[in-house]
Amino acid sequence: MTGDMIAEILSRPFGDDKPIVIQEVTVTHIDGTTLPKKFTGRTVFQLNPKIKFSINFDNFPIYLLDGRRNPTFHIKTDNGIETGGILQYSLNDLFHSESSIEASFIPKFLPMLVISPDTKIMSTKFGVINFVKFYGRNDQWIAFEGNDHRVGSFEAKWNGYRIEVTERLGFSEKGTKQKPTTDYDITHGGTIERLDGKPYSVSDAEDILRRLRVYLSFVRGKFCSFAPVVAICESNRESAFRWGATYLDPWQPGRETWLPVTTGGDILTQLLPEFFGLYGDSNWKDTVSMAVDWQVNGNNSAAHVATILYQAALEAISSKITNKAETAKWLRSSMKQLGIDTNIPNSYGNLRNFSDVEIRAKKANSKYPYIGDGPEAIVQIRNDLVHSGKNYPTPSMELQIEAMQLSRWYIEIMLLKKLQYSGKYFDRIDQNFKSLN
């Protein structure tokens, strides 16, 4: 592994999906037994056609396969890494080789921390997979093939750290509507350093990466991830930080993010300390993580499933803002505290008709009065989806989609309001950019 691995990845042509060699490893033990002769392999991260991490061996000893009925192995390396996994190889190679074969070892559990926990880190560098395009005041100009290219970059400071994320050269020039030409690609690179230049712990790096992934996934509206992740240690020694990558979503058509492209870098800088602070608040940490998880999973789901997941997220957020009450009242009260309009948008004719006709009739003799707003409508639809007793006719697909879109908008606006954001955002209801005050 070279000291400029991340820089080299970011500078090569965008869309180059050659496997990334992270480091060499030397295997010293198999299934707890010391090998009479060590052998080496290369840890390789592959993005396409699907995400894959493996240890590739050019000369895997054949004698280690003798008598085995399954391909499961447990390996240990010379730097103390231990993991179980599956060995993949060609039976044809096995029949035609005398001493060794080409093979790939797939660790059973990924991602996997491989750096020693007591290592002191000077800088953490990483690739960001599938994040969105943005520009801002911190952008950089890079000379490439005789021309200067503008690449989006943001830098934020939090709790004594500097966190920077910079676009990969060529991201802006490939694909359509900022969509890369493959399902997965390293679109940005990142750096984490202390402002005072002092070393920090592995656990601190893990914590920042965890917060940053939730933050960027909330911004994107889909899961993104980091790989490879490299630690620059004391004496400028480079070490792999972890193998593999956390779950992430492929690129899909349509607008995923609420972030404006033209000022996105400045917004990311502004919101990061607020988001990290909220995530670190003992009263909010699990709520923020769960709400973003349910929101993003909802974004990947059918309309009826998304509506259920979105309401779970809305209830989690509301639980930290107002006292628990009847669900629609709970959501309504939380939104009003944040200054969010709860009326059903005029453009949502199916949802308004469902409220005016079906809910009004159902609540005519109910102890809960008819309100006729958005929280009431989405709660009634959600309840009818999950409860065995049905109060309403099967909702049309158009009605489900409007309920889903309104619920998603509520989540984004509630979180942005909680983060005290004031500025432009993409309004999913009007399908246009608006100012949030």
Side-chain angles (χ1 to χ4, degrees):
M1 202 168 42
T2 69
D4 296 322
M5 177 200 290
I6 303 298
E8 187 277 328
I9 292 171
L10 297 178
S11 64
R12 68 185 184 178
F14 192 81
D16 183 348
D17 58 0
K18 291 185 298 185
I20 300 167
V21 177
I22 298 175
Q23 67 182 136
E24 282 196 353
V25 296
T26 300
V27 178
T28 58
H29 297 71
I30 293 287
D31 297 338
T33 301
T34 303
L35 298 175
K37 185 177 180 180
K38 306 172 185 178
F39 61 96
T40 62
R42 302 177 306 280
T43 57
V44 176
F45 185 69
Q46 176 180 305
L47 286 162
N48 288 292
K50 61 181 181 179
I51 300 290
K52 178 182 177 181
F53 179 89
S54 62
I55 306 176
N56 295 346
F57 300 102
D58 293 329
N59 297 288
F60 188 90
I62 289 180
Y63 78 87
L64 293 172
L65 303 174
D66 292 345
R68 284 187 178 268
R69 294 189 175 182
N70 66 69
T72 302
F73 283 81
H74 187 93
I75 68 169
K76 181 178 180 180
T77 69
D78 60 349
N79 55 350
I81 300 171
E82 292 189 61
T83 181
I86 302 296
L87 190 73
Q88 299 178 341
Y89 55 91
S90 168
L91 288 176
N92 187 58
D93 289 348
L94 184 63
F95 292 141
H96 292 85
S97 302
E98 296 182 358
S99 59
S100 65
I101 57 171
E102 292 185 1
S104 293
F105 178 80
I106 314 297
K108 185 176 181 180
F109 298 108
L110 291 171
M112 172 185 174
L113 188 72
V114 294
I115 192 172
S116 174
D118 59 359
T119 303
K120 295 300 181 183
I121 299 174
M122 302 304 297
S123 175
T124 304
K125 298 181 182 296
F126 51 92
V128 184
I129 307 174
N130 287 14
F131 190 54
V132 297
K133 184 166 185 57
F134 61 84
Y135 289 120
R137 285 172 287 187
N138 198 51
D139 292 348
Q140 301 176 16
W141 289 89
I142 298 176
F144 181 70
E145 294 183 347
N147 295 306
D148 288 337
H149 296 260
R150 183 184 183 185
V151 296
S153 182
F154 83 85
E155 178 183 309
K157 296 177 176 63
W158 171 80
N159 200 30
Y161 286 90
R162 182 185 71 87
I163 300 160
E164 181 182 18
V165 172
T166 301
E167 177 187 307
R168 179 177 171 184
L169 184 66
F171 181 28
S172 60
E173 299 155 10
K174 297 292 182 180
T176 58
K177 296 184 179 178
Q178 318 311 333
K179 178 183 180 297
T181 55
T182 56
D183 285 342
Y184 304 97
D185 218 323
I186 296 176
T187 56
H188 299 75
T191 303
I192 302 168
E193 295 175 334
R194 281 190 59 88
L195 292 171
D196 58 13
K198 293 181 179 179
Y200 54 95
S201 67
V202 171
S203 60
D204 284 347
E206 285 188 289
D207 178 57
I208 293 174
L209 288 170
R210 190 179 303 114
R211 295 176 194 237
L212 187 60
R213 178 178 181 259
V214 178
Y215 177 53
L216 297 185
S217 296
F218 164 63
V219 172
R220 180 192 168 194
K222 302 282 185 181
F223 288 115
C224 53
S225 189
F226 308 131
V229 182
V230 175
I232 310 302
C233 310
E234 293 176 302
S235 302
N236 207 34
R237 178 177 60 86
E238 188 179 58
S239 172
F241 187 87
R242 69 184 180 199
W243 291 349
T246 50
Y247 176 79
L248 72 152
D249 289 313
W251 290 101
Q252 295 174 339
R255 168 166 279 276
E256 300 173 337
T257 182
W258 53 263
L259 186 75
V261 173
T262 53
T263 57
D266 301 332
I267 295 169
L268 288 163
T269 296
Q270 171 193 343
L271 283 186
L272 184 143
E274 298 289 341
F275 190 94
F276 275 31
L278 191 65
Y279 183 93
D281 185 322
S282 59
N283 190 44
W284 272 89
K285 179 177 180 180
D286 291 341
T287 298
V288 171
S289 183
M290 287 189 300
V292 172
D293 183 77
W294 287 330
Q295 176 211 10
V296 174
N297 275 294
N299 298 347
N300 292 325
S301 302
H304 63 289
V305 177
T307 299
I308 296 169
L309 291 172
Y310 290 157
Q311 185 166 316
L314 289 170
E315 289 185 24
I317 297 169
S318 296
S319 70
K320 302 302 179 184
I321 299 174
T322 59
N323 295 326
K324 186 171 175 59
E326 183 264 329
T327 305
K329 182 178 180 181
W330 194 16
L331 299 184
R332 183 181 305 114
S333 176
S334 298
M335 292 177 196
K336 287 187 174 179
Q337 279 199 38
L338 294 172
I340 299 171
D341 185 1
T342 62
N343 291 321
I344 299 174
N346 292 330
S347 57
Y348 283 7
N350 294 283
L351 198 60
R352 291 178 68 87
N353 184 66
F354 173 75
S355 174
D356 290 342
V357 177
E358 301 293 348
I359 300 178
R360 186 189 295 274
K362 185 65 182 177
K363 287 201 167 189
N365 299 312
S366 171
K367 65 177 180 179
Y368 298 115
Y370 170 74
I371 303 298
D373 66 0
E376 180 182 58
I378 63 174
V379 166
Q380 291 297 312
I381 291 173
R382 177 266 182 193
N383 289 346
D384 232 40
L385 288 171
V386 300
H387 295 159
S388 56
K390 302 301 178 184
N391 293 315
Y392 306 105
T394 301
S396 67
M397 182 54 64
E398 292 78 11
L399 176 58
Q400 292 182 49
I401 290 174
E402 289 180 3
M404 173 192 70
Q405 290 175 340
L406 183 61
S407 300
R408 181 177 180 180
W409 181 81
Y410 282 156
I411 296 171
E412 290 179 340
I413 297 303
M414 289 183 79
L415 285 174
L416 287 173
K417 288 276 191 177
K418 183 61 186 176
L419 296 171
Q420 299 180 332
Y421 174 63
S422 177
K424 293 285 186 181
Y425 76 102
F426 183 76
D427 188 314
R428 299 190 183 281
I429 296 173
D430 293 338
Q431 294 291 298
N432 204 350
F433 287 97
K434 287 187 174 181
S435 292
L436 187 66
N437 300 314

